[in-house]
Amino acid sequence: MSEIVVGMGAGAKELATEDMILNIGPQHPSTHGVLRLRLTLDGERIGTAEPIIGYMHRGAEKLFEVRDYRQIIVLANRHDWLSAFANELGVVIAVERMLGMEVPVRAVWARTLLAELNRVLNHLMFLGSYPLELGAITPLFYAFRERETLQAVMEEISGGRMHYMFNRVGGLKEDLPEGWMSRTRQAVADVRRRLPDIENLISGNEIFLARTRGVGVLTPETIRQYGVSGPIARASGVDWDLRRDDPYLAYGELPVKVVTRDAGDCHARFEVLLDQVKVSLDLADACLDRLADLPPGPINQRLPKILKVPEGHTYAWTESPLGINGYYLVSRGEKTPWRLKLRSASFNNIQVLREMLPGHLVADMVAILGSMFFVVGDIDK
């Protein structure tokens, strides 16, 4: 007769355990969108993790093929709804490159300014929502106060709060309103002055430090293997930023400071995001100074009623707030693209979770997931 001992008091090493499959999601409140994680657990420790995507797939790339180049912009700015202006930029830059079109200087500097304001808006959302996921609600209110300050000037110029639709092939929709630059300069100054409120709330918080330091460490080797980019990559010491290393728009004339950290953990990713807000505010001021010095001039190029792009292909990439966005455009000389392939930052940033999560506790999974700074629509497209 055999006997199996299944337990000898609380916490006994001999306690038999069995792996359990746990689904995180796909209900919307679980994450920044409809994401599903399939975890294999040994007790409370994660054995394997599989991100399962596709719950928000809208077939954007196929829709591009039956829309003309003006209509594409309204679709392209929606896959990352926190970075709409940056998404518009990638498309129009690719089309302008195929057309051999030179954009007016005034439009180049205005685009750069608006791209940096949009970057700040994106980062403020994560700076407020990440502490919320760890149990701290107050920073969210401070972050939204700053977002509303910048949203006011973005809404004034474009009429939109999320999907700006202000880019056009050849420039911008219209010129900057009278007095808008002074109001924008004041908004940037207000956000810069009040940003330490968010920093002071979190930087010395013992609970936040305990939940983020040394948790979810991502190595530079793993980053390169998975194509992770943006603030997440720079938090692990990968010193790469397209604004400095392959400039577009007016970034070649700006002193772009690239923020990096070496720890590669959740805390480092949060710090990089916070410091990048300060850098973007400085770049916005520099753009405002340059725009003030420019003489009056056109803000866009006059386009034909039916815009056709010459036959060929090109690849344009931009340093979007969440990382590198790529746009591979193939044209057959018609008014719609034959193919427009999106390389979205969030897709690569979320795939690396299968390497990061194993070995961590389920409670740490929440901290890691929130620090990856993704938008699910940007994954699924």
Side-chain angles (χ1 to χ4, degrees):
M1 179 179 177
S2 62
E3 182 176 334
I4 300 176
V5 179
V6 295
M8 295 176 59
K13 293 181 180 179
E14 293 82 0
L15 184 64
T17 61
E18 184 176 333
D19 286 350
M20 179 179 71
I21 304 299
L22 177 66
N23 279 293
I24 306 294
Q27 67 270 25
H28 193 286
S30 65
T31 58
H32 296 283
V34 189
L35 175 71
R36 176 185 171 199
L37 291 176
R38 188 175 184 271
L39 307 180
T40 303
L41 302 181
D42 181 7
E44 288 193 35
R45 199 164 294 278
I46 298 171
T48 62
E50 180 188 3
I52 301 175
I53 65 173
Y55 290 93
M56 292 189 70
H57 183 57
R58 293 168 290 171
E61 292 179 0
K62 296 304 291 182
L63 290 173
F64 292 161
E65 297 173 13
V66 291
R67 301 291 193 277
D68 67 34
Y69 291 100
R70 294 179 177 90
Q71 295 170 324
I72 285 174
I73 300 172
V74 77
L75 293 172
N77 69 12
R78 279 163 166 74
H79 56 88
D80 175 1
W81 46 79
L82 297 179
S83 312
F85 192 87
N87 300 338
E88 298 172 12
L89 263 181
V91 172
V92 296
I93 288 174
V95 175
E96 288 160 3
R97 187 175 297 172
M98 292 280 283
L99 291 168
M101 180 180 290
E102 186 174 345
V103 179
V105 176
R106 189 170 179 80
V108 171
W109 282 96
R111 279 178 173 179
T112 310
L113 166 62
L114 294 168
E116 290 307 309
L117 294 178
N118 190 199
R119 192 182 310 275
V120 175
L121 287 169
N122 174 288
H123 291 355
L124 283 171
M125 172 62 79
F126 288 105
L127 289 172
S129 65
Y130 183 47
L132 179 66
E133 291 165 6
L134 300 181
I137 191 172
T138 307
L140 185 69
F141 300 122
Y142 283 83
F144 264 80
R145 177 187 65 181
E146 309 315 323
R147 275 179 56 85
E148 286 301 313
T149 301
L150 294 178
Q151 285 283 31
V153 294
M154 294 293 282
E155 186 176 4
E156 179 186 355
I157 196 172
S158 67
R161 288 179 58 84
M162 290 184 70
H163 307 303
Y164 303 110
M165 274 302 295
F166 200 58
N167 275 289
R168 295 292 186 272
V169 176
L172 295 173
K173 176 186 174 185
E174 55 197 12
D175 206 347
L176 311 178
E178 184 177 353
W180 181 84
M181 286 201 296
S182 62
R183 289 188 288 276
T184 302
R185 193 181 294 277
Q186 184 60 51
V188 169
D190 289 343
V191 173
R192 182 186 290 107
R193 175 173 49 83
R194 298 189 302 233
L195 196 61
D197 293 347
I198 302 175
E199 192 171 2
N200 296 335
L201 272 172
I202 302 167
S203 60
N205 187 289
E206 295 181 5
I207 299 174
F208 183 79
L209 296 177
R211 294 292 306 275
T212 56
R213 278 187 175 166
V215 176
V217 175
L218 189 56
T219 65
E221 292 74 21
T222 306
I223 283 172
R224 294 185 182 99
Q225 289 170 355
Y226 277 82
V228 176
S229 59
I232 299 171
R234 292 191 283 272
S236 295
V238 178
D239 190 2
W240 177 255
D241 191 315
L242 289 180
R243 294 174 296 172
R244 180 198 64 190
D245 301 318
D246 190 9
Y248 57 99
L249 296 181
Y251 288 117
E253 302 180 45
L254 290 171
V256 179
K257 179 185 176 184
V258 180
V259 180
T260 60
R261 291 291 189 277
D262 295 323
D265 56 10
C266 294
H267 189 258
R269 291 189 279 274
F270 185 84
E271 281 188 326
V272 166
L273 216 62
L274 186 61
D275 286 350
Q276 282 196 173
V277 169
K278 301 172 186 176
V279 171
S280 290
L281 292 174
D282 291 341
L283 291 175
D285 272 339
C287 291
L288 286 166
D289 292 339
R290 183 60 188 269
L291 279 168
D293 294 336
L294 289 176
I299 201 76
N300 50 37
Q301 293 278 18
R302 188 175 181 86
L303 299 176
K305 187 173 183 180
I306 298 177
L307 180 64
K308 293 186 177 182
V309 171
E311 187 172 351
H313 61 90
T314 190
Y315 183 78
W317 58 353
T318 61
E319 185 68 42
S320 294
L322 297 181
I324 294 174
N325 274 9
Y327 303 82
Y328 180 55
L329 173 61
V330 182
S331 172
R332 293 285 177 87
E334 301 169 349
K335 66 178 182 178
T336 61
W338 184 78
R339 184 81 168 90
L340 179 53
K341 167 67 179 173
L342 293 178
R343 187 270 187 209
S344 57
S346 296
F347 181 85
N348 297 68
N349 292 356
I350 209 65
Q351 296 304 318
V352 79
L353 285 173
R354 65 179 70 244
E355 302 285 346
M356 296 178 66
L357 291 178
H360 286 88
L361 299 174
V362 175
D364 288 334
M365 181 275 300
V366 178
I368 296 170
L369 191 63
S371 75
M372 294 309 287
F373 310 133
F374 63 88
V375 171
V376 177
D378 201 38
I379 301 169
D380 290 348
K381 301 188 287 291

